[in-house]
Every structure is written in structure tokens, then in C-alpha cells.
Amino acid sequence: MPMMDIYAKKLKIGGAYLVSGQAIQALIAFGVNLVLVRFLAPEDFGRFALILAGATVVYSIFSLRINVLIIRTDATDLDAGAKERFLSALGWETIFSTILILVWIYFSHEFGPWEVALILAIGLRHWTDNNKAVFERRMPYRRLAIIETGTMTASNILALVLVVSGMNWKVLFVREIFLSAALFVTFALSGGLTFSRFKFLSVEEWQGLFRDARGIWLDSVLEGSFQRITILLAGFIGGERIAGFIFQAQRLAIVPNQFLSPIASRVAGNWFARIEDRTKRIAGRDRLLLYMFFPLLIGGVLTFLFADPVVPWLFGEKWRPASELFASMAGLVVFLSMFETIKAYCWVAKQTRWLLIGRAFQYGGLLACFGLGVMGAIEPAIALALGLSVSYGLAFVVVFCILRIVERDHG
């Protein structure tokens, strides 16, 4: 059998495992969250979300995306020395970022044992997620799906048991801490982690890593910071309570993408990378976007029309203010997965510059709406939620139109 046929078969089977595993994770997380919101207050979620958002923004800024560098390195170049260099850089960026976050929460007066444990858990997960790239190069999607789904399910079941047993806001911290530890232990025991000598890197080695990573770093910083900045802005305008409402509304709005993300990102990216014929690749991209658009459009319309009765019914009356925020995020429901597909295409087709233009419109749309809220033209929390819809809609439309124009001009 030709190598491309073997690869395609492996990709299809692996993609099926990833999609199935992601669907199970999304359903379980959604169900457990319905219980958590009945026991915990919006302020509990808001406080947790603000700490998590601040921490992940720091990791986003100071991460070189070692996992991407490992995956895209040619097999002949990924020798023991290269692995040692990559993994040493990963260790140093994790240590530096973790210390920086601990200093930040100390001066923000959120420094306590649970906050410290959460930050350390986030650091461990950052290291694990990047380290497993050496393992993921072999595309063991079945094992990845089993590990990721199993650990996520166990952490949610633990949270469910604890909150029903009477634990308060600490259950949100316990779930993240357990998940990070479970992922590390499970991947380590299954051979999914690579351990090498930890060393100091020379100036030349750091410069080489920065040079290789600068393109993906910039886009990833913009991507990783965007939704976290939304939570931080929510905390700025309304404190922990409004941040909690925004956090839960956003979680509902991204549910469709949780089901579609394996296709929109991981599987689609691999498919784009293996199709050498530019015409077929463009046609495949547009066909996938078309297949996604109409179901997502229906989901967006339903979100706008029925958010008000559905949110209080699912979460309880105390969460009613989140219903209007959820309705305002209808555009996020429609365009998030489609933008993820365009992003995967741009990376493979080496069209990152158009993606960065889209990111500029994304941030511009969010900040424009937020500005209207600050000036009093729109209720601030609604303006922020509406900004998410506008931002992803603008980003997708701008990038897609630029690609179509460039493709038309170049035949």
C-alpha cells in the first residue's frame, strides 16, 4: 500500500478516535458543570477564572511553542541533541513563567495555598502538553484519545463527588490540580513523555529557538491571550461576579467548537499538510467550511432566540444575567470553529501574514465594542459579550476574503 494511503487511513482512524474522545469529554464536562453551578456562586467561578486567565496569559507570552517546533522538525534533525535542546528550553520557560505568576498573585493579594497549588498545576500541565509532542509525532491518536478522555473524565467525576459532598469553591482548584497530575502520571507511565538531560542553553541556542519560533509565537500569543483578556476585562468592569457570568456564558458558547475542534484543528491541519495539490487543498478547505457553516448558523440563531429561557433552566435562577450575555455571543457560536479551520489552513499554506491581519481585526472588534460599553452606549458586560461575536466574525471574514482574493489573482 502506498505511504500516502497508509497515512490517510491512519489519519482517518485517529481522527475518529479524537472526535469521539472530544465528544465524550465535552458531554461529561457540560453535565458536571450543570451540577457545579447549582452549588457554587458566580463569584466563585469568577475568582477562579481571573486567576486562571492571568496565569495562562503569562504562559502564552513566555512560551516558545516547543510542541510545534518539535512536531514540525524533520525526523533526521530531531536527534538526541535537538531533543535535549528543545526540552531544556521547555523546562526553563516553565520555571520562569511559574515564578513570574507566583510573584503576580503575591502582589495582587490572592496568594494562598490553593492559589499556589493551582499555579504549580498549570505549570506542570504546560510542561506535559509540550513534552508529549515527541510522542505525538508518531500520531498515536488512539492512545492520546484514551489518556486525554480518561483523565478529563476522572477529574470531572472527582469534582462532582466533592461538590455534592459539601466542598465549596475549592472544588474548582482540586479539579485542575488533579487533572494536571493525572495527565503527567498517565503519560509518564505509558511512555508518552520524554526525559533528557536538563542543561543551560547558550545564547546562540536561544537565538536559534527564537528565530524558529517567532512566527508561531506571535500568532499563538494573540490567540492564547484573547479569551483570557476577555475574562480580565470582565473583572475590570464588574469584579468577580461579572467575570463569573462571562466565564459561564463563554463556556456555553464554545460547546459546538469542543465537538468540532478535532476536525477543525488537528485533523484538518494534518490533511491540509498532506495535500500537495494547491487546487485540491483550497477546494477541500472551502468544502469543509461550507459543511460547518449551516449547522453552526442554526446553532447561533437558536442561541440568540432561546438563551433567556435555557440558561436559567440549566443553571438556576441566580445565573439569569448570563442568559443575555450568552445570547450576545451567538456570533462566537457561528464563527469560532470556522476561524480555527482557516487558522489551520494558513499555518500549512504559509499564509500567516493574512492570519495576523485577521487577528488585528479580532482584537479591534473586541476593543471597539468594549469601548462602547465603557462610554455607556451599551451595558458594559453586554458590550464585552457582543465583542466576542464581532471579533471572531470579523477575523474569519477578513482572512477568508484575503485568501480568496490572493488565490484568484494567482490563478
Side-chain angles (χ1 to χ4, degrees):
M1 183 181 293
M3 183 59 64
M4 284 300 297
D5 291 342
I6 295 174
Y7 182 87
K9 182 179 180 180
K10 190 174 184 179
L11 193 60
K12 289 178 181 178
I13 296 174
Y17 276 109
L18 286 177
V19 171
S20 300
Q22 188 67 41
I24 293 171
Q25 292 179 50
L27 288 172
I28 292 175
F30 183 77
V32 171
N33 191 58
L34 292 181
V35 178
L36 293 180
V37 295
R38 297 282 179 170
F39 285 85
L40 303 178
E43 292 84 351
D44 296 330
F45 285 97
R47 177 168 171 267
F48 168 78
L50 287 170
I51 296 173
L52 191 64
T56 50
V57 165
V58 172
Y59 278 109
S60 175
I61 293 173
F62 291 99
S63 172
L64 288 174
R65 300 333 183 256
I66 297 298
N67 59 331
V68 179
L69 297 181
I70 290 173
I71 288 176
R72 76 178 190 181
T73 299
D74 292 337
T76 55
D77 295 328
L78 194 64
D79 54 16
K83 291 178 183 178
E84 186 177 275
R85 182 171 63 255
F86 283 136
L87 297 180
S88 293
L90 172 61
W92 285 117
E93 74 177 26
T94 302
I95 292 171
F96 177 80
S97 299
T98 302
I99 292 174
L100 192 63
I101 297 166
L102 290 173
V103 171
W104 165 65
I105 65 170
Y106 176 81
F107 284 104
S108 65
H109 307 292
E110 295 288 352
F111 196 84
W114 286 105
E115 288 76 13
V116 172
L118 177 63
I119 298 307
L120 293 177
I122 295 171
L124 179 62
R125 197 182 312 174
H126 171 79
W127 184 89
T128 303
D129 286 343
N130 281 269
N131 183 289
K132 72 180 183 184
V134 179
F135 174 66
E136 192 167 352
R137 280 175 59 94
R138 303 195 298 268
M139 295 183 298
Y141 289 136
R142 177 181 179 180
R143 195 184 304 182
L144 285 170
I146 292 173
I147 293 174
E148 292 171 0
T149 303
T151 52
M152 180 67 72
T153 300
S155 64
N156 275 296
I157 291 175
L158 176 62
L160 181 63
V161 171
L162 291 177
V163 77
V164 172
S165 301
M167 181 175 278
N168 54 13
W169 53 267
K170 297 174 185 176
V171 70
L172 300 174
F173 290 72
V174 171
R175 179 171 61 178
E176 296 301 313
I177 295 167
F178 176 84
L179 177 59
S180 295
L183 283 169
F184 173 80
V185 172
T186 308
F187 273 116
L189 293 177
S190 65
L193 297 180
T194 303
F195 298 93
S196 65
R197 184 172 66 95
F198 186 53
K199 68 171 188 176
F200 288 97
L201 299 181
S202 67
V203 174
E204 291 77 13
E205 287 175 317
W206 280 115
Q207 289 175 338
L209 289 170
F210 287 137
R211 186 167 52 251
D212 291 341
R214 60 190 176 190
I216 56 175
W217 174 83
L218 179 56
D219 181 66
S220 297
V221 166
L222 295 174
E223 176 187 25
S225 301
F226 184 78
Q227 292 188 7
R228 307 306 179 185
I229 288 174
T230 303
I231 298 296
L232 296 176
L233 290 175
F236 172 77
I237 62 176
E240 294 177 353
R241 181 175 176 81
I242 296 300
F245 288 136
I246 289 284
F247 178 72
Q248 285 298 339
Q250 194 172 353
R251 284 198 64 171
L252 280 176
I254 65 174
V255 165
N257 186 61
Q258 288 181 300
F259 287 93
L260 292 174
S261 61
I263 299 174
S265 300
R266 294 167 83 171
V267 176
N270 267 325
W271 186 85
F272 292 146
R274 302 307 167 192
I275 301 300
E276 297 181 1
D277 189 299
R278 179 173 174 270
T279 302
K280 290 182 180 179
R281 189 166 58 201
I282 293 172
R285 177 203 68 197
D286 293 348
R287 187 164 54 249
L288 177 58
L289 289 172
L290 185 63
Y291 289 158
M292 294 168 61
F293 175 69
F294 289 105
L296 289 171
L297 179 62
I298 293 172
V301 172
L302 293 176
T303 296
F304 181 78
L305 294 177
F306 298 105
D308 185 56
V310 168
V311 172
W313 177 71
L314 286 175
F315 290 177
E317 193 61 32
K318 66 183 177 183
W319 289 95
R320 181 171 290 277
S323 60
E324 193 171 1
L325 300 176
F326 180 42
S328 300
M329 294 182 189
L332 179 62
V333 174
V334 177
F335 290 107
L336 175 56
S337 294
M338 299 184 69
F339 182 72
E340 288 295 304
T341 301
I342 280 286
K343 182 189 74 175
Y345 177 85
C346 285
W347 276 115
V348 171
K350 299 181 180 180
Q351 303 284 342
T352 312
R353 58 188 180 279
W354 312 134
L355 186 59
L356 294 177
I357 293 175
R359 294 288 187 194
F361 278 87
Q362 182 184 34
Y363 274 80
L366 177 68
L367 295 177
C369 291
F370 180 70
L372 292 175
V374 171
M375 292 186 294
I378 309 175
E379 198 279 319
I382 298 296
L384 195 55
L386 186 62
L388 284 172
S389 290
V390 172
S391 63
Y392 277 98
L394 272 176
F396 170 75
V397 171
V398 167
V399 177
F400 182 73
C401 288
I402 291 175
L403 287 173
R404 294 302 293 165
I405 292 172
V406 171
E407 290 157 2
R408 182 192 62 196
D409 291 343
H410 289 81

